[in-house]
Amino acid sequence: MKQSTARPVPLGMVNPLVEATGAGVIVTDASGNITHCSTAAAALFGFDSGALDGRKIGAIIEDRGRPAPAAPTTDFEGVGLRRSGDPFNLDVGVLELRSTSGPSSYLWVVRDKAGASVRKDRLDALWRLIVGADLNLDAQGKAVLEEGKRSLGMDYAALGHVDGAQLIVDFSSPDEPERGRGARIPLRSTFSSLVLDAKGILCFRGDAKGRGAGIGTTFKAGNTQYILTFTAKAAQARDFPEEDSVYVEMLGAYFARLLAQSAQSTEIKKIAFEDELTGLPNHAFCQARLQERFAATARRTEKFTLLLAGFDGFKRVNDLGRNVGDGVLAEAARRLRDAAPSADVVARFDGDQFCVLVSDATSAADAEQLAKTVREMLSMSYTIDGHDVAVTASVGIVVFPGDAANAESFEANARAALDRAKQMGPGSLAFFSGEITASLEQRRLLREALRVALDRQEFVLHYQPLADLASGSIIGAEGLIRWNHPERGVVMPGDFIALAEETGLMIPIGNWVVREACKQCRRWADAGTPMRVAVNVSARQFQAPSFARQIGSAIAQAGADPKLLEIEITEAIAMQHPGTVQLVLTDLRNLGVRVALDDFGSGYSSFAYLKSLPVDIIKIDRSFVARVPADNDDSAIVRAIIAFGLCTGRDVHAEGVESVDQAHWLQAEGCDTAQGYLFGKAMPADQFTAFALEYNAEKHPA
């Protein structure tokens, strides 16, 4: 049997269920220690129950003369070792039991090939059900009923919960009107009078009056009593074997788990859509309702208005104490319910913002009047924990149809309208204006132009000089992307990188940057003036599965020296994705590429974390460099980073150097390289080439 790693299996179900089946089952931890061994499995190896607990699995099972591994990854022909030391041929199947809170465990199903066959088909069937647990409750419930019918040879199956003296059907197979979901069946007319008080297994042979055989079990899920039954059309002459009873109990236990998970999921959904502080629906609920509204507009014509209200300067309230701020928000929620009793949705939108979705404000005048009511209700004074709190609120208004064609734009426009209202002054109202519409239209056009910019070769790299502080020479450059827009001229990255992220173009644009940098490396090397080229990569590009391969391909296609290429990642990327970072950076270094950690000091990483990162260069953030050597605190921080780099064998690079004093101080402290306006701004490649030659010639005349 091949080890399965498809889905986690709940370890809590394993021990009590399999012990009753008589199957040979062993559970081990990630180190190969036996944590549970069924009585049948212990006997198979000649031990008493519990005697193998704590021993290594390799002490009783071998694979081709070697102890079985703690974490088997392939099929193997097992050999068992009895207590006497005698070997015997063993059938072994292994299933990984993955946990979300710790390391994996392993389930070993074992039997003696030469001995009597241990029936484990039912146990295997239950495992198949368990590892399919990502199905919804309906699908899982019907799968359990069908599996039970098949294995027991029954015609019907049903699960119902007890309500007084009635069984209310939750699942049935096959579905029939008289016994389908929701059917209410009097218990006493269906089962014996003992059913109401029964615990555990119920068995019926059937009788000559036409009543068929049946087997079932009772169990509880939460506070509800359930009955799971499997019945046949005809009676049977013998009692059900013990194995059938155990199997039905297993299915009942699995149903109990499914029902508990479903109840938990329902509670999670409630939590997901309800704001805990105010009791109002939350932002996610509002988004879902807007999606429903816009989906409905495809089938019918309707009008609705969204008001987005936000307090002005709410930080002042929070400064009085968190409990005061929370009290104001809770009271505001109560007032909003009174202000818009007929609203479709009143929700806490975000932080100190609330939204009201209404269908009865069909005109601009109606919407404005409701917005004024909301504003006045929210702006009335509050008395919280002895504090008299005076606040104002502004309101943004969007109307459908007219202000948006989909839910996402509708929400974005509501935010834009609220921002405009706040700009007008505290307590203002603002509809989504034509000015904002024009701004968004420009953004849309820019997004569309961005989609074809790569094909039209509108991007170009400019190069900012990198200087060696010891020699004063220009030794390389940082490649910075620019967009030569056919109408707007040069567009700086700050105006289009976010759009590239939104449209999914960041990866192809980032790959273009790397390819162009490699080509430029080759051009400068061929001209006899080799230069290092550094390029910054985005989080989305860095996390792409093919990132390292793309870098290697770009180097190979350009015929560039990989030692001249530097890949820069930000401190934020390194902190957010530590596992991926370690693997990818190792791959890059194996290619011969140098790796730099950009903007170091701007985030929350520590020297301890940095020590574990396979980076070659530490780039000190310009916010610290700007105030050295005058600011003692910043100077101390920069000095510590440089010292760390020297101690760990990493180069240290300073960004934003603008004065000779800064450069001299950094060089004296041991900083290796720097960039900034002191050495030159970013410029096209041909200008950079001429600049670097002239600069270096002045520093080192022949």
Side-chain angles (χ1 to χ4, degrees):
M1 184 189 303
K2 189 174 183 180
Q3 181 197 15
S4 168
T5 58
R7 299 182 180 90
V9 178
L11 187 58
M13 290 189 63
V14 175
N15 296 356
L17 296 180
V18 302
E19 187 63 34
T21 67
V25 176
I26 300 170
V27 179
T28 60
D29 62 19
S31 300
N33 301 307
I34 297 173
T35 59
H36 175 80
C37 182
S38 70
T39 302
L44 184 63
F45 295 93
F47 290 86
D48 294 329
S49 177
L52 289 172
D53 291 354
R55 298 196 184 190
K56 293 286 187 182
I57 191 68
I60 58 171
I61 297 178
E62 289 186 348
D63 174 25
R64 291 180 286 274
R66 297 188 299 270
T73 57
T74 59
D75 295 341
F76 59 89
E77 285 290 325
V79 172
L81 299 176
R82 299 194 194 278
R83 187 175 185 179
S84 61
D86 296 330
F88 64 101
N89 290 329
L90 191 70
D91 259 342
V92 182
V94 186
L95 185 71
E96 183 181 1
L97 308 176
R98 289 191 291 167
S99 169
T100 58
S101 58
S104 296
S105 299
Y106 295 87
L107 177 79
W108 305 66
V109 181
V110 297
R111 70 182 179 94
D112 187 348
K113 283 186 176 179
S117 174
V118 176
R119 186 181 178 193
K120 60 183 181 67
D121 60 313
R122 288 176 171 174
L123 186 59
D124 289 343
L126 183 56
W127 298 148
R128 287 195 300 273
L129 290 170
I130 290 173
V131 298
D134 60 339
L135 301 175
N136 60 43
L137 177 62
D138 282 356
Q140 279 288 98
K142 290 188 177 181
V144 175
L145 295 182
E146 290 296 335
E147 180 57 42
K149 279 170 49 186
R150 181 197 63 76
S151 182
L152 295 164
M154 294 291 173
D155 300 299
Y156 305 104
L159 174 78
H161 65 274
V162 177
D163 182 10
Q166 290 187 317
L167 176 71
I168 302 175
V169 177
D170 296 289
F171 299 96
S172 64
S173 179
D175 292 325
E176 295 182 349
E178 67 273 15
R179 55 196 304 146
R181 176 172 292 190
R184 305 176 73 89
I185 305 171
L187 275 172
R188 295 181 186 276
S189 66
T190 306
F191 304 107
S192 74
S193 60
L194 298 176
V195 167
L196 285 172
D197 302 317
K199 305 293 181 187
I201 286 293
L202 313 168
C203 295
F204 308 95
R205 278 194 190 181
D207 53 36
K209 296 180 180 179
R211 288 189 288 242
I215 184 170
T217 185
T218 62
F219 63 88
K220 273 197 168 185
N223 295 320
T224 306
Q225 174 90 351
Y226 288 86
I227 301 177
L228 171 65
T229 59
F230 299 89
T231 56
K233 294 177 182 177
Q236 63 181 33
R238 61 181 181 85
D239 292 330
F240 286 90
E242 179 66 20
E243 184 184 352
D244 284 358
S245 297
V246 172
Y247 185 62
V248 171
E249 280 189 305
M250 291 171 69
L251 295 180
Y254 184 53
F255 249 126
R257 172 176 169 267
L258 288 176
L259 292 165
Q261 284 181 332
S262 178
Q264 184 182 36
S265 176
T266 300
E267 183 62 25
I268 289 172
K269 186 175 291 187
K270 177 184 175 184
I271 294 171
F273 285 110
E274 183 177 296
D275 178 59
E276 183 178 3
L277 173 64
T278 64
L280 291 177
N282 61 14
H283 185 193
F285 181 88
C286 187
Q287 286 180 312
R289 195 53 59 90
L290 281 175
Q291 293 283 1
E292 292 172 4
R293 279 300 181 85
F294 275 90
T297 60
R299 301 187 298 272
R300 62 181 185 270
T301 301
E302 63 176 308
K303 296 180 179 181
F304 50 88
T305 297
L306 180 67
L307 309 181
L308 184 57
F311 286 109
D312 302 312
F314 197 72
K315 183 180 182 301
R316 293 182 292 100
V317 180
N318 280 329
D319 288 343
L320 297 174
R322 180 66 180 270
N323 59 320
V324 178
D326 288 351
V328 170
L329 294 174
E331 174 61 25
R334 287 190 287 272
R335 293 181 184 181
L336 276 179
R337 292 191 189 98
D338 295 336
S342 61
D344 302 322
V345 176
V346 175
R348 185 182 179 191
F349 198 74
D350 188 18
D352 61 2
Q353 296 177 0
F354 296 87
C355 71
V356 180
L357 180 66
V358 291
S359 299
D360 53 2
T362 56
S363 68
D366 292 337
E368 184 179 21
Q369 183 56 50
L370 179 59
K372 288 179 178 178
T373 303
V374 167
R375 178 186 62 185
E376 290 165 6
M377 292 288 280
L378 293 180
S379 299
M380 293 170 61
S381 63
Y382 298 76
T383 301
I384 308 293
D385 290 350
H387 293 275
D388 291 326
V389 182
V391 291
T392 60
S394 297
V395 184
I397 310 163
V398 286
V399 179
F400 181 86
D403 283 342
N406 56 60
E408 292 78 11
S409 297
F410 202 61
E411 178 182 324
N413 294 349
R415 291 183 184 275
L418 177 58
D419 287 344
R420 180 171 177 77
K422 287 180 174 289
Q423 291 169 10
M424 294 166 59
S428 297
L429 307 178
F431 281 85
F432 180 66
S433 70
E435 179 184 337
I436 299 175
T437 301
S439 175
L440 292 178
E441 178 64 12
Q442 286 296 318
R443 186 177 175 85
R444 184 188 67 80
L445 293 174
L446 198 62
R447 187 185 297 114
E448 291 179 356
L450 187 61
R451 294 183 186 277
V452 296
L454 264 178
D455 294 336
R456 294 177 178 175
Q457 300 181 350
E458 294 173 358
F459 292 113
V460 66
L461 285 188
H462 284 193
Y463 297 89
Q464 183 174 27
L466 305 180
D468 179 86
L469 289 175
S471 66
S473 300
I474 301 300
I475 60 170
E478 180 174 3
L480 302 169
I481 191 171
R482 303 289 187 263
W483 179 11
N484 285 330
H485 192 280
E487 297 174 359
R488 298 180 55 174
V490 176
V491 181
M492 301 299 285
D495 294 327
F496 68 85
I497 290 298
L499 285 176
E501 292 279 6
E502 291 174 13
T503 54
L505 292 171
M506 199 60 249
I507 291 177
I509 290 176
N511 290 338
W512 176 87
V513 168
V514 172
R515 291 196 301 271
E516 186 61 26
C518 290
K519 291 176 184 177
Q520 191 59 54
C521 279
R522 175 64 184 271
R523 294 186 195 109
W524 281 328
D526 288 347
T529 55
M531 292 279 177
R532 292 159 44 179
V533 177
V535 292
N536 205 302
V537 297
S538 70
R540 190 181 297 272
Q541 183 184 4
F542 184 82
Q543 294 168 51
S546 61
F547 175 67
R549 292 197 302 274
Q550 290 281 356
I551 300 296
S553 176
I555 293 170
Q557 288 176 10
D561 182 351
K563 296 184 181 64
L564 294 176
L565 181 66
E566 294 178 7
I567 297 297
E568 298 181 0
I569 64 167
T570 63
E571 186 180 358
I573 294 176
M575 290 295 292
Q576 291 171 8
H577 312 280
T580 302
V581 166
Q582 292 283 350
L583 295 173
V584 176
L585 295 190
T586 300
D587 289 342
L588 292 177
R589 295 185 78 183
N590 289 338
L591 289 172
V593 174
R594 286 162 60 86
V595 178
L597 185 64
D598 198 13
D599 299 336
F600 185 75
S602 62
Y604 299 96
S605 60
S606 64
F607 285 142
Y609 176 67
L610 177 58
K611 182 181 177 182
S612 68
L613 279 179
V615 299
D616 306 285
I617 305 163
I618 304 169
K619 299 188 71 173
I620 307 173
D621 187 66
R622 65 181 64 247
S623 62
F624 296 109
V625 175
R627 291 185 289 271
V628 299
D631 187 288
N632 291 333
D633 291 339
D634 284 353
S635 297
I637 292 171
V638 173
R639 187 178 291 116
I641 296 173
I642 294 172
F644 177 81
L646 292 172
C647 292
T648 58
R650 294 173 169 89
D651 289 347
V652 180
H653 178 89
E655 297 179 296
V657 177
E658 298 184 359
S659 71
V660 174
D661 286 345
Q662 290 173 332
H664 286 168
W665 185 87
L666 289 164
Q667 194 273 330
E669 292 294 333
C671 185
D672 300 287
T673 55
Q675 70 188 93
Y677 289 167
L678 176 64
F679 307 105
K681 298 182 179 181
M683 62 194 83
D686 55 349
Q687 292 182 26
F688 176 88
T689 302
F691 170 83
L693 289 173
E694 182 179 350
Y695 187 98
N696 289 342
E698 290 178 357
K699 289 288 183 181
H700 306 284

